[in-house]
Amino acid sequence: MDSPRYIFVMGGVMSGIGKGTTTASLGKLLQSKGFKVTANKIDPYVNVDAGTMNPIEHGEVFVTKDGAETDQDMGNYERFLEEEPTTDNYITTGRVYKTVINKERNLEYDGKCVEVVPDIPNEAIRRIKKAASKTDADFVLTEVGGTIGEYQNVLFLEAARRMKMENPNLVLFILVSYLPIPETIGEMKTKPTQNAAKKLRSVGIQPDLILGRSKLPLDELRKKKISTFCNVDEEDIISAPDVDSVYKIPVNFAKEELGNKVLDKFDLKPKENHMKKWESLVEVIKKDKPTVSIGMVGKYFKTGDFTLTDSYISVIEAVKHASWAHEKEPSISWLSAEDIKQGSLENLNQYDGIIVPGGFGNRGIEGKIKAIQFCRENNIPWLGLCLGMQLGVVEFARNVCGLKDAHSSEFDKDASHPVIDVMESQEEKLKENRYGGTMRLGAYECKLKEGTVSASAYGERIVKERHRHRYELNNDYRDKLKEEGMKMAGVNPQRNLVEIIELPDHPFFVATQFHPEFKSRPLDPHPLFKKFIEASA
Ligand code: GLN
């Protein structure tokens, strides 16, 4: 296309109504019509990236291939669009201000006064356009985080307004709004959405389309009302009722002709139409299937299921993708690592497979180690991810190699057998309190050992997987672990770091230093998760 088209997705009424999955689903539709799509996330936080945010508050940290620690919505973009987003797709208030201040210090503003307006929106616009030019996309979708009417995202709305003002035919605004159905009234209310549209107009933005999120579909009456009060054609009010699987959203939107409506607004015609694969996926999701039950031994459970689900969203999605590939229905149970005591271990027997995902900090560590031991000794399929792998090594060192006080130096600085130790390159950073964006991040090579479960799962010799950690398997203990039967199934060839461990003579005992979950997609499940589910089922 001559010039990319820009679509801004903004949220009204409240947060948590699925702007991310909406953006990703619209992207999928435009892709299915033959266009190249990229998606940006604007996170209004002052944090430069999500790496320093508390996962309980903010959800999972999603790592891109080029090593950016981003918001979990970037994971939705990757899963839906089947493209690997990069650091250029992630914009935070912190990133914008940091660049502006650095430029000012370097005299790049030629000694002029640097002002919040227009210099901050200008930098946001530069970043949005950069993502477009880097990916050569026809459509650049930008999700503005936060809710209309709050202070935090105003400068990003100003950026969006300016882009429309400069190129009215190239920019489109979508308001995703919530319509409550108060139980006492029993009727869907449009007023909060009317107010959201009004607030948006007060910053100079008139939505072109409104997506009405609600428990139920919007009826004609509601659409009429919203149309009258929000100045949007009735046919441009799209119904977006709750769904039990986010992967159904693109198919529902297709029924509402959302893709064609967006193309119409830009005077474009679909080049093709290919939703077949996605539709078949939805058919599998809908089907009655035998269950595969997976236990996830993690923490954060005490703050409620919602938080937990968000903190491990990519792992959960990866389990779903792999289960569907085997025509199974995953049932995931949250097992609190802190509650795993000697006496309760037998409960683990009821699961087909157990996952110990990544994490930081001391809480729940011994419970996780006990759970891993139980899986090893009782032939329960086990998958360890990052911290999970590290604790798998600790468990094996303690209970098989007889190194009684083996530990990771993350949790016991004075352990006489630090089988997991801080990476040399990380030590300096920690001493200088340089925490932000300094872990071993992003994609690195892993060479697989022939004859291992991992090699047969991938069917390749060299793979690239994404990382986020400071500690690693201590090479001084590699021979000892090997002698007792642990296989170093994957190693990073450049730095000789162990990336995958396995135990033979077990239905499935595989753990990775990297995070395979970030690369799993519903239409292309991750090979290790697929093998794990196969063994579990
Ligand atoms: N805390 C461990 C480390 O920093 C594991 C990190 C993780 O699981 N992502 O190495």
Side-chain angles (χ1 to χ4, degrees):
M1 258 172 12
D2 45 343
S3 157
R5 307 297 197 263
Y6 295 91
I7 301 176
F8 288 90
V9 179
M10 294 156 287
V13 180
M14 63 184 201
S15 63
I17 53 173
K19 281 197 305 290
T21 43
T22 301
T23 306
S25 300
L26 172 59
K28 188 83 229 164
L29 282 188
L30 294 170
Q31 252 183 0
S32 77
K33 296 187 183 296
F35 295 94
K36 188 160 169 41
V37 177
T38 193
N40 300 325
K41 166 84 186 193
I42 290 179
D43 228 346
Y45 295 105
V46 180
N47 301 59
V48 169
D49 56 44
T52 49
M53 296 182 201
N54 180 347
I56 294 176
E57 277 174 36
H58 188 259
E60 171 188 88
V61 175
F62 185 83
V63 181
T64 58
K65 67 172 174 186
D66 55 348
E69 298 173 282
T70 73
D71 179 78
Q72 56 180 356
D73 275 328
M74 298 276 285
N76 284 321
Y77 301 164
E78 173 143 4
R79 289 186 281 274
F80 281 72
L81 300 179
E82 300 171 82
E83 300 265 354
E84 293 186 293
T86 67
T87 190
D88 291 323
N89 294 106
Y90 186 56
I91 304 171
T92 69
T93 299
R95 287 183 166 209
V96 169
Y97 268 92
K98 202 169 175 228
T99 309
V100 170
I101 291 169
N102 285 344
K103 272 171 71 178
E104 183 276 324
R105 293 288 79 187
N106 297 341
L107 223 59
E108 286 176 49
Y109 289 98
D110 293 332
K112 282 210 255 334
C113 293
V114 182
E115 300 185 78
V116 169
V117 180
D119 294 303
I120 297 300
N122 276 352
E123 172 57 19
I125 292 171
R126 186 191 69 81
R127 284 174 174 263
I128 292 164
K129 290 191 172 167
K130 184 176 174 202
S133 65
K134 278 235 167 154
T135 52
D136 214 7
D138 301 317
F139 283 98
V140 182
L141 274 53
T142 303
E143 175 194 348
V144 182
T147 311
I148 313 295
E150 64 186 17
Y151 179 74
Q152 304 207 56
N153 54 18
V154 160
L155 291 167
F156 293 109
L157 296 176
E158 172 61 10
R161 183 195 70 81
R162 280 255 319 278
M163 282 183 74
K164 174 93 164 182
M165 188 193 75
E166 281 158 20
N167 282 300
N169 300 329
L170 300 181
V171 178
L172 189 90
F173 295 136
I174 299 184
L175 170 63
V176 182
S177 192
Y178 185 68
L179 292 103
I181 310 176
E183 235 173 81
T184 45
I185 307 173
E187 186 198 350
M188 186 184 286
K189 304 304 282 180
T190 62
K191 190 75 80 202
T193 295
Q194 295 175 33
N195 284 333
K198 209 185 248 172
K199 276 193 188 135
L200 206 46
R201 281 200 301 274
S202 75
V203 292
I205 293 178
Q206 164 63 40
D208 296 290
L209 292 123
I210 295 183
L211 288 172
R213 285 279 302 108
S214 190
K215 197 170 163 201
L216 303 171
L218 274 59
D219 57 14
E220 289 312 310
L221 193 74
R222 269 8 87 163
K223 285 191 177 178
K224 244 194 194 83
K225 247 187 166 170
I226 298 174
S227 166
T228 310
F229 290 104
C230 302
N231 270 329
V232 173
D233 276 350
E234 223 178 296
E235 60 180 42
D236 294 332
I237 319 271
I238 311 286
S239 186
D242 285 354
V243 282
D244 51 13
S245 167
V246 292
Y247 300 116
K248 291 181 181 169
I249 301 174
V251 177
N252 290 354
F253 280 173
K255 283 187 198 138
E256 294 263 334
E257 297 285 339
L258 177 61
N260 290 335
K261 284 176 185 171
V262 166
L263 290 185
D264 270 355
K265 299 251 175 233
F266 286 118
D267 247 334
L268 294 168
K269 295 264 164 297
K271 297 184 198 169
E272 51 194 75
N273 228 325
H274 57 83
M275 278 289 276
K276 279 272 162 310
K277 274 199 200 152
W278 201 271
E279 280 162 0
S280 328
L281 165 80
V282 170
E283 286 315 309
V284 175
I285 296 173
K286 282 186 188 159
K287 221 157 101 185
D288 256 339
K289 306 176 281 300
T291 306
V292 56
S293 65
I294 303 299
M296 280 256 285
V297 182
K299 56 183 187 182
Y300 311 135
F301 310 93
K302 295 271 157 67
T303 53
D305 285 357
F306 182 77
T307 300
L308 164 90
T309 316
D310 265 15
S311 307
Y312 297 125
I313 179 164
S314 292
V315 181
I316 293 163
E317 295 307 309
V319 168
K320 291 182 190 167
H321 307 156
S323 303
W324 294 331
H326 292 294
E327 301 248 337
K328 296 280 182 298
E329 185 58 38
S331 150
I332 302 172
S333 304
W334 324 122
L335 312 172
S336 165
E338 286 164 285
D339 294 343
I340 293 187
K341 306 260 151 48
Q342 207 60 44
S344 63
L345 280 167
E346 275 64 36
N347 292 339
L348 297 181
N349 262 325
Q350 63 187 294
Y351 301 104
D352 298 320
I354 297 283
I355 295 179
V356 177
F360 297 82
N362 236 319
R363 190 154 59 89
I365 289 296
E366 289 305 320
K368 289 180 188 177
I369 294 173
K370 281 208 174 74
I372 297 168
Q373 181 181 8
F374 192 83
C375 292
R376 180 175 58 76
E377 290 174 350
N378 293 280
N379 288 328
I380 301 174
W382 176 71
L383 177 65
L385 306 171
C386 203
L387 176 67
M389 179 195 109
Q390 298 176 351
L391 298 180
V393 172
V394 170
E395 189 280 315
F396 191 81
R398 286 184 189 174
N399 301 320
V400 180
C401 304
L403 307 171
K404 280 290 164 260
D405 69 341
H407 216 329
S408 161
S409 53
E410 181 178 7
F411 310 117
D412 180 1
K413 292 225 164 352
D414 309 314
S416 46
H417 295 293
V419 290
I420 301 294
D421 205 0
V422 67
M423 281 180 262
E424 242 174 70
S425 53
Q426 291 290 331
E427 231 168 347
E428 284 302 302
K429 295 173 184 164
L430 289 178
K431 263 190 215 139
E432 293 163 13
N433 292 346
R434 279 164 51 214
Y435 294 113
T438 58
M439 284 188 233
R440 181 174 181 235
L441 289 166
Y444 289 94
E445 274 185 6
C446 168
K447 190 168 173 202
L448 301 164
K449 194 176 162 63
E450 255 172 273
T452 57
V453 176
S454 304
S456 89
Y458 280 103
E460 283 171 80
R461 279 310 297 283
I462 303 257
V463 294
K464 268 192 147 183
E465 292 282 3
R466 294 183 212 165
H467 296 251
R468 181 172 186 254
H469 62 116
R470 294 191 197 276
Y471 295 79
E472 57 162 328
L473 191 148
N474 183 342
N475 278 339
D476 293 346
Y477 288 90
R478 220 151 123 177
D479 287 341
K480 178 78 183 156
L481 295 162
K482 270 168 51 184
E483 258 165 47
E484 299 294 338
M486 182 169 273
K487 284 214 156 96
M488 309 300 148
V491 174
N492 170 260
Q494 286 81 24
R495 285 173 62 188
N496 192 25
L497 303 180
V498 174
E499 302 280 19
I500 311 179
I501 57 153
E502 284 183 17
L503 290 184
D505 308 322
H506 190 285
F508 189 96
F509 195 97
V510 178
T512 62
Q513 183 55 76
F514 51 80
H515 291 271
E517 66 270 23
F518 292 141
K519 285 180 79 173
S520 180
R521 296 156 183 189
L523 296 182
D524 187 14
H526 193 282
L528 288 180
F529 276 88
K530 251 169 98 176
K531 263 267 189 282
F532 167 65
I533 294 295
E534 185 187 309
S536 303

